[in-house]
Amino acid sequence: MDATPVDVALVKEAKKGNKDALVRLIMDEKQEYFRLAYAYTKNQADALDALADMIVILYEKISQLKNEARFDTWSRTILVNCCKDILRKKKKIIPFGQLPEISHEGEFRRKDEEIMLDSALAKLSRKHQEVLKLRFFLDFDYQTIADILKIPVGTVKSRISIGLAKLKVILGGEDFAGN
Amino acid sequence: MPEIENMLKKQGKEFNHIEPPPEMEERLRTALESTAKRKHPRKMWFPKAAVVIIALFLFGYQFDTFAYYGKKLLGYDQVLTGTLKELNELGEGQSIGKSYTFKNGVSVTLDGIMLDDNQMLVFYTVKDPRGQMDESDFLIPMSLKGLFKEYQMQSGQGDMNEEKTEMKNMFQFQPPLFFERKLTLSFSLEENNQREFGEIPFSLDWDKAMGHSIRKPLRNVLAVDGIKIRFDSLTASPTTTVIKGQIQSIWELAQDKMKGERIRPENMGLKLLANGKEVPGQSSGMRTDMKGITFHQEFDALPRDLQELQLQLVSFAADHDVHEQVELNIKETEKSLEILGQKIVINEVFHKNGDTFIKITTEENVLFTQIDLIIDNKKADLIETTSDQYDKKPDGTILHTRILHFPGSGSKLELDIKSMKYEKKYDLTIDIPLDS
């Protein structure tokens, strides 16, 4: 995804404590923010909770943001951390691997392939799942992922390639549950 | 490898359809408004979030006629709400109190279970004295092994403390067969790519099961869209109400498949009304197996003073086989088609950068699940759907306009529609008699 240049004037306004300006910064890119939160939390309620947590932190810490043009990356890093906090605290567990029946998510049931892929992804460690989702679901480039997660680009690349290799093994039918 | 990358990318495309809900801005503003007053707003958020999720799962129920036995489970306040909280207050269920400790010191304690005709709830605590609960991976998809059968977990949720040393969990399983006396809970822990398995065996005390309040066969059939939905049973227990039924028998399924007219049900909107008031839904499922297509839908427990009960079908969505070829001309405008009663408008056909683009409009819940373009007698697979646009009409219908992108171009174009999904609204009510 190409990063949209951020409205520096608006960031400066937000730094002065203008709440409207801060909300506008997020709402101008509402789809990107929501999808990022959704990629982690996988449900609307948690995604909204993460976004609410994020804006509170942004408001409290925006005065520390030195480079206004970096608002985008900075806020997304905070959002990712908020999502992880929510997941950690709730540890909502969905047993993909052995779904006896398929539950409905939204208007139309997901296709078998997606369920299979989801189930395989769920078996990867969180750090591998995370980079694969950011890369393939949200179409972020390596550098953006590195910036958001605060890890070197090389690590992003190696996590992606390890994640893909593990997915291949899992989808190849190896029994990861170890029974 | 590229195959997996393609699968991931394809799924990512589905992701493009996820839209932020309208209340997003309101949520952000509300969060900000409360910041100035709060010193530790982040701590305040969690309980709120937890309540939202759990409230969806189980919701307000009154039941006070159970015998008092068992012991109240302590520390599950965050996990239990509504119906279950009250049952726990009453000491319903069976306390177990057995533990297993992994080599690294992490322990799992099975605190207790609650069992009725519809489900078995397992309550357990995981403790990590090191405070690294979030570092290890509990492959909790655990199971309950009985004498003859292994029971699979269906859903679950938990609540971790701030120190990351303790997590309380409640998992839902299908109820065990009536003759099971001994069960074994098995689970595993993964750390540093090492997996360790643990087990806790326990005896099941059927005297402490809560049974059911109503169980009745239903013999109702609703005909929709050329298929019959049969409702088979309703079981109301102290914790939940389950409706079961069948959409197609295996025989009907086979016949349709041979005729190439398969209908794959996708989603069914069912409402349960108790004393005229909607009972909150909890979950639903549909499966195709040797029994044909069967479904179940779970609702909250029924009110105690039940006088009337109704089931309403409000919508039905399915994927249908279609065999339609539509000839198109370049620069075609506003060509209207009707397939299986659904209106489809081809707004525009155009070439760009050597590829062919088709702009179409349908109702919101119409989706082509298999569509190709035959260009000069050669099949071209759909590359992507772009520029989604939703338009709400004064009568409430929402129209969805999008552009289908096919590779290549040519003079003879034919759209080949093989299958499509759509949802229809209904207003069909079944009265469930309570006297028999």
Side-chain angles (χ1 to χ4, degrees), chain A residues 69-126:
Chain A
R70 301 276 299 163
F71 176 83
D72 206 31
T73 316
W74 175 70
S75 57
R76 286 195 284 190
T77 305
I78 290 173
L79 178 58
V80 164
N81 289 332
C82 290
C83 291
K84 287 179 180 175
D85 261 4
I86 282 180
L87 292 178
R88 250 198 298 273
K89 283 180 180 167
K90 280 223 222 79
K91 270 221 169 174
K92 271 192 64 190
I93 299 143
I94 301 155
F96 277 118
Q98 26 185 262
L99 268 184
E101 287 177 322
I102 295 156
S103 60
H104 298 286
E105 294 188 350
E107 210 70 77
F108 291 115
R109 193 174 61 185
R110 295 173 307 150
K111 292 187 287 292
D112 292 346
E113 188 184 84
E114 285 170 30
I115 292 164
M116 204 170 75
L117 190 61
D118 257 352
S119 127
L121 265 175
K123 286 176 181 166
L124 295 183
S125 69
R126 268 178 225 119

Side-chain angles (χ1 to χ4, degrees), chain B residues 35-157:
Chain B
T35 48
K37 289 170 225 143
R38 270 194 226 152
K39 264 203 151 165
H40 302 290
R42 295 186 21 73
K43 277 187 187 153
M44 296 293 289
W45 274 103
F46 171 55
K48 215 178 200 173
V51 168
V52 170
I53 299 302
I54 297 163
L56 289 174
F57 188 62
L58 282 159
F59 204 74
Y61 173 76
Q62 284 120 37
F63 218 95
D64 55 11
T65 53
F66 289 107
Y68 191 94
Y69 44 56
K71 217 163 58 180
K72 187 180 154 186
L73 296 169
L74 296 172
Y76 282 93
D77 296 353
Q78 282 291 355
V79 184
L80 289 171
T81 53
T83 308
L84 286 181
K85 195 166 194 162
E86 287 175 37
L87 291 171
N88 185 35
E89 295 289 332
L90 289 165
E92 285 296 337
Q94 181 189 347
S95 329
I96 311 268
K98 285 175 85 175
S99 301
Y100 177 90
T101 306
F102 288 102
K103 281 185 203 130
N104 60 9
V106 173
S107 69
V108 177
T109 304
L110 174 56
D111 294 316
I113 56 166
M114 261 188 212
L115 171 65
D116 67 22
D117 281 4
N118 285 333
Q119 60 182 345
M120 171 149 167
L121 299 174
V122 170
F123 297 87
Y124 68 93
T125 309
V126 182
K127 281 190 180 159
D128 186 345
R130 307 165 301 170
Q132 296 170 4
M133 189 83 78
D134 53 332
E135 304 286 322
S136 358
D137 238 343
F138 284 90
L139 245 197
I140 310 223
M142 43 176 178
S143 71
L144 271 172
K145 274 181 225 142
L147 192 56
F148 299 103
K149 206 178 152 186
E150 193 165 333
Y151 305 91
Q152 300 299 348
M153 168 195 152
Q154 289 169 337
S155 68
Q157 57 197 38

Side-chain angles (χ1 to χ4, degrees), chain B residues 17 38 42 74 77 103 131 162 168 173 180 194 210 228 240 257 305 311-312 356 366 412 418 421 427:
Chain B
H17 298 297
R38 270 194 226 152
R42 295 186 21 73
L74 296 172
D77 296 353
K103 281 185 203 130
E162 291 280 335
K168 292 275 179 189
F173 287 80
E180 298 281 15
Q194 293 285 315
M210 292 184 277
K228 288 185 175 119
T240 177
K257 188 167 181 172
D305 60 336
L311 196 58
Q312 257 181 12
T356 308
V366 175
K412 193 168 165 247
K418 293 198 183 84
K421 281 178 185 178
D427 183 13

Side-chain angles (χ1 to χ4, degrees), chain A residues 19-20 22-24 26-27 29-31 33-36 38-40 43-46 48-57 59-60 81-82 85-104 106-111 113-118 121-126 132 135-139 161 164-169 171 176-179, chain B residues 1 4-5 7-21 23-25 27-29 31-36 38-39 41-43 45-46 48-50 52-53 56 124 133-134 136-143 152-160 162 164 167 169 171 193 195 197 264-267 284-288 294 296 317-318 365-367 421-423 425:
Chain A
K19 290 178 177 175
D20 280 335
L22 187 57
V23 172
R24 252 186 68 198
I26 305 302
M27 289 308 289
E29 300 290 324
K30 62 180 178 185
Q31 250 173 6
Y33 281 97
F34 184 76
R35 282 174 191 165
L36 178 58
Y38 196 96
Y40 277 86
N43 80 64
Q44 183 171 309
D46 286 349
L48 287 177
D49 280 340
L51 285 161
D53 284 355
M54 171 198 73
I55 202 154
V56 170
I57 298 173
Y59 180 71
E60 284 171 349
N81 289 332
C82 290
D85 261 4
I86 282 180
L87 292 178
R88 250 198 298 273
K89 283 180 180 167
K90 280 223 222 79
K91 270 221 169 174
K92 271 192 64 190
I93 299 143
I94 301 155
F96 277 118
Q98 26 185 262
L99 268 184
E101 287 177 322
I102 295 156
S103 60
H104 298 286
E107 210 70 77
F108 291 115
R109 193 174 61 185
R110 295 173 307 150
K111 292 187 287 292
E113 188 184 84
E114 285 170 30
I115 292 164
M116 204 170 75
L117 190 61
D118 257 352
L121 265 175
K123 286 176 181 166
L124 295 183
S125 69
R126 268 178 225 119
L132 290 180
R135 177 76 194 97
F136 295 106
F137 289 10
L138 300 178
D139 212 14
S161 86
L164 284 171
K166 283 192 173 181
L167 263 189
K168 195 180 178 189
V169 173
L171 291 169
F176 245 57
N179 291 323
Chain B
M1 196 72 80
I4 288 173
E5 287 181 38
M7 271 169 81
L8 282 165
K9 273 188 188 151
K10 217 167 109 194
Q11 191 143 345
K13 258 181 212 152
E14 301 273 325
F15 223 84
N16 289 340
H17 298 297
I18 294 167
E19 294 291 329
E23 65 265 32
M24 178 168 156
E25 184 164 355
R27 277 299 301 274
L28 295 179
R29 289 193 185 278
L32 274 183
E33 268 163 33
S34 41
T35 48
R38 270 194 226 152
K39 264 203 151 165
R42 295 186 21 73
K43 277 187 187 153
W45 274 103
F46 171 55
K48 215 178 200 173
V52 170
I53 299 302
L56 289 174
Y124 68 93
M133 189 83 78
D134 53 332
S136 358
D137 238 343
F138 284 90
L139 245 197
I140 310 223
M142 43 176 178
S143 71
Q152 300 299 348
M153 168 195 152
Q154 289 169 337
S155 68
Q157 57 197 38
D159 176 36
M160 197 193 301
E162 291 280 335
K164 300 175 191 168
M167 190 158 133
N169 301 279
F171 276 25
N193 290 326
R195 171 142 309 176
F197 292 87
R264 284 148 296 232
E266 294 281 345
N267 196 9
S284 66
M286 213 181 267
R287 66 187 290 174
T288 305
T294 50
H296 84 261
N365 289 325
V366 175
L367 199 71
K421 281 178 185 178
Y422 59 86
E423 185 185 64
K425 303 276 179 221

